[in-house]
Amino acid sequence: MGRSVFAAVATAALCVYGAGAARAEPRAVLQGEVGDDLRDRIERAMGDTDRPPQNRFQLRRQAREAAEDAIAVLRSEGYYAYGVDAGLTEGESPQAYVEVEPGPRFLFADPDIAWTGEAPNPETQTAARQAMQIEPGAPGRAAEVVAAEGRILAAVQRAGYADVSADTREVIVDHEDDTVRPTFRIAAGDLVRLDGIDLDTEGRTNPAWLERLKPWEPGAVYAPDSIAELERRLLDTGVYDSVTVALAPADALTEEGYRPVIVGLADREPRTIELGASYSTSEGFGLDARWTRYNVLGRADTLAVVGRLSEMDSRLGADLTLPHWRRPAQTFHADADIYRTKTDAYEETGVGVAADVRRRYGANSFVTVGTSLDFSKTDEKDARSLSALGRELVTAAVFGAVSLDRSNDPLDPTQGWRVDGRFEPTYIVGDESLPYLEVSTQGTAYLPLDEQARTVIAGRLRVGSLVGGKLDEVPASRRFYAGGGGSVRGYAYQAVGPRLADDTPQGGLSLLEVSLEARRQITDRWGVVAFVDAGSVGEDQIPTGDNLSVGIGVGVRYDLGFGPIRADVAFPLDTDKRDAGVQIYLSIGQAF
C-alpha cells in the first residue's frame, strides 16, 4: 500500500460510519499499483467529501462515481487498456474504494490530416503539419489531440483561409500494438482576400479616417493579426465603449472577389467630468478638474479643458489629442494654459503653448518630438545680494523623448522595467539671451520574489543635467530641484540641494535621485511598502552625488481595482535640513 493510500485509510478510520464528520474525507480510497504522478491526478479527480454517506447504497454510488472520475483521468493520460473496480471494504465501518490497474500507456502513431473539400495550397499544408506537433511515440494523451487540432486550425487561418473548420476527427485506439492514431479532418475553405471597411455605427466617426486606419491594402491575403491590429488601434483611442472588427460573410464578395471587414463602433458618453485630489504635508492640498469632449471631429479625437488649484501650482488650460494622426500609431497633442507657480525658490506667472507628435513602436515603446513656447514673469532672489530679482522671459524649446515600457502594469507594476530619456534644447530671451541643453533620463525596475508577485523589489534611478548654462544665468524656474512625493520622500518640495544664505532653495544644474522599495501584498486589497529615497542637486553640470540627502519611510496601499491608493510616511535622515521631522503623502498609483 502506497504512502498516500495509507494516509487516506488512516484518515477514514478516525470516522465512525454514518456519523457525519464535519471535515472533508476522500470520496474513495485508491488502490492498485499506480505511479506517483498518475496517482496524484486520479486522487485529485476523485476529490473529497464533507458529507459522508448515511448507508451502503449511497456509499456504493459514491464508489461508482469515483471510479468514473478515475477512468476519465486514465483515458486522458493515454491508458486505454485499464482495469478499474469499485467496491466497499469489509467491516463495521466500510469505506468506498477504487482499485486501478492502468495497463500499458498507449503511444501516438501515424498522425495525419485529411482535407475535406478542396485542399489549401502546398505551403499551407506544410504549415498545418508542422503546427500539429504530435510526435510518434509520445504518450497518447487526449488533451494533446484537442490541442493539436486547435493549432492546425490557427495555422491554416493565419495562411489566409479565414473560414477553416474542423470536421469530426477520427482517433483509432489500437489495442493490438497499444497505439493512438489520430486523423484530423479539416475543411480549409477558400483563400480570402480583404477589401475595405464597412462601418456599422450610429456615432460620429468619419468613415474616411477609419479607412486610412486599416493595416492592409485591398487585395491583401486575410491575416488574423491584421484584424486584431485594427481593433487594437481603435481601442487605444479610448473614445469607444465597444469595438468589434469581423470579416464579412462569405457571400459578401466584391466584384474583384474580395471580402470587406465590418467594423462596429459604439461611442462612449460624449462628455465626462473628472475630479481628483492630492495632499502632502509639504505641498499642501491639490484639486484637479477635467472636462472632456470626445470625437468632436469624427476621428476619435479628445478635446479637454483642465484646471488645477493648489498652494504651489495653479493653472487653467485646454488640450487637443488626435490619435493616429497622419498615420496609424502616431498621436498629435497640443495644449495651451495660463499658470501661476509659487514655491520657496521662486514665483512664476505665465502663459504657454506646446505641441508634440508621439509615435508608438510595439505595445509600449514611444518616440516623441515636440516644441513649446512660454511667456512668463519670474520673481526670484539674487544669489549674491538676496534682493528681489524680477525677470520677464520668453522661453522656446524643442525636445525629443524616448520611452520604453516593459513592465506589466502602468499603475501597479510587479515585474519588468521602464526607461525614459529626454533631450531638450532651450533658448531663453530676457535681459540677456541664454541657450542651453537639458538632458534627463530615468529608469525603473521591478523584481518579484515569488511566483504570485506578492513581494516585489522596485528600484528607480533618475539623472539630469543642464548643459551650456551657468547657475546664475539659468532662471530659478528652469533649474533642477529635489524633494517631495515624486522625488525624495521625507523632505519638502525643493528642500534637497544647495540653498542661499537666507535658506531659500537655490536649485542646480544637475540632479541625481535613487529610490528602493520593498512592496508586500498582505490581502487582495491591502499592501505595505518600506522605502529608501536619496537625492542630490549639484551646482555643476555633471551629477556627482555629493551632499546626498536620504529619506526612509513606510506606506500602505489599497487596490481600487485599476490601481492602488498610496499613503506614505517618510522621515529625513539629513538633520541639516530645516524641514519637519516627518512628511505624509497621499495619491493614486505607486510612487514609481
Side-chain angles (χ1 to χ4, degrees):
M1 180 180 293
R3 182 172 59 182
S4 60
V5 174
F6 177 80
V9 173
T11 301
L14 296 176
C15 300
V16 178
Y17 172 67
R23 60 181 176 178
E25 301 176 0
R27 291 171 61 207
V29 176
L30 178 60
Q31 299 179 353
E33 297 297 327
V34 182
D36 291 342
D37 183 63
L38 184 59
R39 176 180 295 278
D40 181 64
R41 292 174 182 270
I42 293 175
E43 287 180 338
R44 281 189 285 128
M46 292 193 304
D48 298 330
T49 179
D50 55 3
R51 300 180 63 183
Q54 301 300 308
N55 52 58
R56 288 180 177 270
F57 174 79
Q58 293 180 356
L59 199 59
R60 289 193 183 94
R61 184 175 63 184
Q62 181 172 295
R64 289 194 301 269
E65 292 173 350
E68 292 172 357
D69 293 333
I71 290 172
V73 173
L74 290 167
R75 293 180 65 86
S76 70
E77 291 297 313
Y79 296 94
Y80 296 97
Y82 55 81
V84 175
D85 181 42
L88 306 182
T89 60
E90 300 296 332
E92 294 183 359
S93 300
Q95 298 292 316
Y97 73 84
V98 175
E99 186 168 358
V100 172
E101 175 58 43
R105 194 173 206 176
F106 285 51
L107 306 178
F108 282 121
D110 303 326
D112 195 15
I113 299 176
W115 301 100
T116 59
E118 184 176 351
N121 57 48
E123 293 80 6
T124 303
Q125 295 184 47
T126 299
R129 291 187 177 278
Q130 292 174 345
M132 186 164 47
Q133 297 180 15
I134 290 183
E135 296 293 335
R141 294 188 178 97
E144 292 297 329
V145 175
V146 176
E149 185 175 79
R151 290 191 294 268
I152 293 169
L153 293 174
V156 176
Q157 192 175 66
R158 284 194 299 270
Y161 294 85
D163 303 314
V164 61
S165 62
D167 292 336
T168 303
R169 56 182 173 269
E170 181 181 83
V171 181
I172 298 176
V173 178
D174 194 333
H175 288 260
E176 290 189 3
D177 57 3
D178 300 333
T179 60
V180 178
R181 292 182 169 84
T183 299
F184 301 95
R185 301 173 63 82
I186 306 297
D190 296 326
L191 184 67
V192 174
R193 296 186 180 275
L194 298 177
D195 191 48
I197 292 175
D198 285 350
L199 178 59
D200 180 15
T201 181
E202 296 180 358
R204 299 173 295 278
T205 298
N206 186 334
W209 171 79
L210 181 61
E211 189 70 30
R212 292 194 298 269
L213 204 59
K214 67 182 189 300
W216 67 83
E217 295 296 329
V221 173
Y222 166 83
D225 288 348
S226 296
I227 303 298
E229 174 63 17
L230 176 59
E231 184 173 29
R232 186 175 74 168
R233 290 175 180 179
L234 290 167
L235 288 171
D236 283 348
T237 65
V239 306
Y240 302 110
D241 273 342
S242 67
V243 175
T244 59
V245 182
L247 197 62
D251 58 357
L253 297 178
T254 65
E255 294 181 358
E256 297 86 355
Y258 303 159
R259 280 171 64 180
V261 173
I262 300 174
V263 174
L265 300 175
D267 285 11
R268 65 181 297 172
E269 289 296 323
R271 301 172 187 82
T272 60
I273 296 177
E274 301 170 69
L275 300 174
S278 62
Y279 170 77
S280 75
T281 50
S282 62
E283 300 172 37
F285 285 97
L287 297 176
D288 296 272
R290 180 182 179 93
W291 177 90
T292 307
R293 181 76 162 85
Y294 299 102
N295 219 5
V296 176
L297 305 178
R299 42 155 304 125
D301 50 278
T302 302
L303 177 64
V305 176
V306 295
R308 175 170 176 78
L309 180 64
S310 72
E311 296 178 22
M312 287 189 176
D313 181 24
S314 298
R315 60 187 60 228
L316 178 65
D319 63 58
L320 173 68
T321 301
L322 303 179
H324 308 298
W325 180 70
R326 299 183 66 87
R327 59 185 297 184
Q330 183 167 277
T331 300
F332 173 81
H333 176 260
D335 65 77
D337 59 0
I338 55 176
Y339 56 88
R340 181 176 184 273
T341 304
K342 184 178 181 181
T343 72
D344 291 341
Y346 61 87
E347 294 185 20
E348 184 177 40
T349 303
V351 58
V353 293
D356 62 72
V357 177
R358 187 182 68 172
R359 175 74 175 160
R360 174 171 60 83
Y361 295 90
N364 292 299
S365 297
F366 301 92
V367 174
T368 306
V369 294
T371 184
S372 64
L373 183 64
D374 282 82
F375 302 85
S376 63
K377 180 179 180 181
T378 301
D379 295 320
E380 56 189 87
K381 290 185 178 181
D382 183 272
R384 298 183 182 87
S385 65
L386 299 182
S387 60
L389 179 63
R391 300 189 183 189
E392 293 185 355
L393 305 173
V394 178
T395 305
V398 296
F399 70 88
V402 177
S403 176
L404 304 177
D405 187 346
R406 297 296 183 269
S407 65
N408 62 338
D409 190 279
L411 289 179
D412 190 13
T414 57
Q415 63 181 9
W417 52 269
R418 300 170 181 167
V419 175
D420 298 281
R422 187 179 178 96
F423 183 88
E424 186 170 357
T426 303
Y427 190 80
I428 298 178
V429 178
D431 295 335
E432 296 180 359
S433 298
L434 173 66
Y436 67 88
L437 172 65
E438 179 179 341
V439 180
S440 62
T441 183
Q442 175 171 287
T444 58
Y446 312 93
L447 177 65
L449 300 185
D450 55 271
E451 292 184 0
Q452 293 75 32
R454 299 188 69 83
T455 301
V456 176
I457 302 298
R460 178 181 72 95
L461 173 65
R462 184 187 177 199
V463 178
S465 176
L466 299 180
V467 181
K470 295 181 180 180
L471 188 59
D472 58 349
E473 295 176 341
V474 177
S477 60
R478 298 288 169 170
R479 300 170 192 163
F480 285 116
Y481 298 90
S487 176
V488 183
R489 287 165 288 185
Y491 299 88
Y493 179 65
Q494 297 181 337
V496 174
R499 293 175 179 252
L500 302 179
D502 65 348
D503 205 36
T504 298
Q506 180 179 340
L509 300 180
S510 62
L511 172 70
L512 176 65
E513 293 178 351
V514 181
S515 298
L516 186 67
E517 287 193 349
R519 303 171 181 172
R520 174 64 181 176
Q521 196 71 23
I522 304 301
T523 69
D524 289 341
R525 292 289 186 181
W526 289 97
V528 295
V529 172
F531 58 85
V532 178
D533 291 345
S536 70
V537 175
E539 297 183 14
D540 298 324
Q541 296 177 5
I542 304 300
T544 61
D546 294 340
N547 300 317
L548 203 67
S549 296
V550 180
I552 61 173
V554 294
V556 295
R557 305 289 185 265
Y558 181 77
D559 188 3
L560 297 172
F562 61 87
I565 288 181
R566 68 180 176 103
D568 291 335
V569 180
F571 307 89
L573 299 186
D574 190 342
T575 56
D576 293 337
K577 301 301 177 189
R578 302 176 185 177
D579 297 322
V582 61
Q583 300 283 350
I584 299 174
Y585 309 95
L586 301 174
S587 65
I588 294 178
Q590 295 286 6
F592 56 88

